[in-house]
């Protein structure tokens, strides 16, 4: 989808953050794996990417993520 994912140490509370509307997502490398996954899923729900670059399996996963609410 054109986004770069960087794993860095950060001083932010969630597991990830978007850098000022750029296509860079920074994931806190010290977060546990569940927080990293949930944070990336939350970001996927917030953005409206161009899905024309995705194949059918990727589109199906993306639309499933958009429609599913995770509860822990």
């Amino acid at each position: 989808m054109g986004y770069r994912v960087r794993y860095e140490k950060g001083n932010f509370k969630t597991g990830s953050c978007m850098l000022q509307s750029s296509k860079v997502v920074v994931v806190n490398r010290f977060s546990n794996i569940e927080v990293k996954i949930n944070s990336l899923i939350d970001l996927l729900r917030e953005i409206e990417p161009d899905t024309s670059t995705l194949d059918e399996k990727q589109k199906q996963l993306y639309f499933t993520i958009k429609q599913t609410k995770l509860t822990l």
Side-chain angles (χ1 to χ4, degrees), residues 34-46:
E34 288 179 26
V35 172
K36 290 177 185 176
I37 291 170
N38 287 334
S39 298
L40 290 172
I41 288 174
D42 288 342
L43 285 173
L44 271 176
R45 286 193 187 118
E46 291 176 15

Side-chain angles (χ1 to χ4, degrees), residues 26-39:
V26 180
V27 177
N28 192 338
R29 69 177 170 184
F30 295 120
S31 296
N32 65 39
I33 191 71
E34 288 179 26
V35 172
K36 290 177 185 176
I37 291 170
N38 287 334
S39 298

Side-chain angles (χ1 to χ4, degrees), residues 16-67:
S16 62
C17 67
M18 188 84 72
L19 293 179
Q20 295 183 357
S21 302
S22 64
K23 290 193 170 193
V24 176
V25 175
V26 180
V27 177
N28 192 338
R29 69 177 170 184
F30 295 120
S31 296
N32 65 39
I33 191 71
E34 288 179 26
V35 172
K36 290 177 185 176
I37 291 170
N38 287 334
S39 298
L40 290 172
I41 288 174
D42 288 342
L43 285 173
L44 271 176
R45 286 193 187 118
E46 291 176 15
I47 61 174
E48 292 296 329
D50 177 19
T51 58
S52 64
T53 59
L54 303 177
D55 64 30
E56 286 304 312
K57 279 184 138 181
Q58 291 169 332
K59 282 182 185 177
Q60 184 178 10
L61 176 62
Y62 173 71
F63 290 122
T64 300
I65 288 170
K66 290 287 270 190
Q67 294 175 358

